[in-house]
Amino acid sequence: VKVDVQEKSTGSISVGAGFSSSVGAIGELSLTERNFLGRGQRLGLKLTLASERSQIDLSFTEPYFLDREIRAGIDIFQVRQNLQDTNSIDTSRTGMRLRTGYRLTDDLSQNWSYTIRRQKIDDGEDGAAELIKAEIGTEYGSEIGHRISFASRSRSKSGYNLSLQTDLAGLGGTLKHLRTVFDASYFIPVADEWIL
């Protein structure tokens, strides 16, 4: 038996533009490689530029960490925002996230993450409100996240997705919070290529 295998393209480029009432004109460039160095690894770079906001995200994912069915990855991000027109401040957020995930069953998966970030608020003008001035300065966050997800969608794309995520900040750093988010989605096919 002779088999000729030809790999399809694994890279993609996405370019977008738009307008937002909060940050003005927006331009976006996204580069993704789903088979980095031929090893199935995913590498992504996303740049967002607006008149009052800039953001860069770099991510890397290893789908078989330590030769096991465990996803592991790292995200590095930086966001700068000019809020002089509305709040008389500038903000910046820089950080890194380590993440891992694995399947418990065919429908149930679990993800863990650890995020460390630096948040800075600068006062540009004297017009800021007293409540905003109280937030001026630099803070550091150290956050552990856990997400468990259940997906029952079949090949016909009907079914539901459920997820529960909890983030705990305060194990180091100056930011402290506990956040829990529950998401639920139900999918109903209404035609060959349409889902409600």
Side-chain angles (χ1 to χ4, degrees):
V1 176
K2 184 177 180 181
V3 179
D4 184 17
V5 177
Q6 184 174 0
E7 184 181 24
K8 67 177 182 179
S9 176
T10 58
S12 63
I13 299 175
S14 173
V15 179
F19 182 83
S20 167
S21 59
S22 60
V23 296
I26 302 171
E28 184 176 289
L29 173 65
S30 178
L31 307 172
T32 305
E33 174 55 56
R34 295 183 301 276
N35 190 19
F36 185 62
L37 299 179
R39 301 179 60 184
Q41 298 162 333
R42 186 182 181 100
L43 182 65
L45 174 65
K46 183 177 180 181
L47 302 171
T48 304
L49 294 175
S51 55
E52 298 180 359
R53 178 186 172 98
S54 65
Q55 181 171 345
I56 181 169
D57 296 283
L58 178 65
S59 64
F60 175 80
T61 303
E62 167 59 63
Y64 293 99
F65 185 61
L66 299 177
D67 292 327
R68 299 176 180 269
E69 291 190 10
I70 299 174
R71 293 182 313 279
I74 182 171
D75 305 314
I76 300 172
F77 56 88
Q78 183 177 50
V79 182
R80 294 180 180 273
Q81 193 160 2
N82 180 344
L83 300 174
Q84 292 295 329
D85 292 340
T86 56
N87 297 323
S88 301
I89 58 172
D90 295 321
T91 67
S92 65
R93 187 170 73 249
T94 305
M96 178 184 72
R97 179 183 300 109
L98 300 174
R99 51 186 163 75
T100 184
Y102 45 86
R103 289 195 172 277
L104 299 172
T105 66
D106 288 342
D107 299 328
L108 191 65
S109 61
Q110 185 166 238
N111 296 275
W112 297 89
S113 66
Y114 173 72
T115 306
I116 184 168
R117 67 179 179 271
R118 172 182 177 264
Q119 297 181 180
K120 186 177 181 182
I121 298 178
D122 294 320
D123 183 14
E125 299 178 2
D126 295 332
E130 292 301 322
L131 286 174
I132 295 177
K133 287 183 179 180
E135 300 296 321
I136 292 172
T138 302
E139 290 192 306
Y140 296 88
S142 174
E143 180 181 286
I144 293 177
H146 173 260
R147 180 183 178 98
I148 190 159
S149 305
F150 181 82
S152 74
R153 294 182 67 184
S154 63
R155 289 185 179 178
S156 63
K157 299 181 180 178
S158 64
Y160 56 88
N161 291 346
L162 304 172
S163 70
L164 178 67
Q165 178 163 340
T166 302
D167 299 312
L168 174 64
L171 306 174
T174 55
L175 298 173
K176 302 184 188 311
H177 66 254
L178 174 65
R179 177 176 57 239
T180 301
V181 178
F182 175 73
D183 284 323
S185 304
Y186 188 66
F187 301 86
I188 305 170
V190 294
D192 289 342
E193 297 182 1
W194 293 86
I195 300 171
L196 179 68

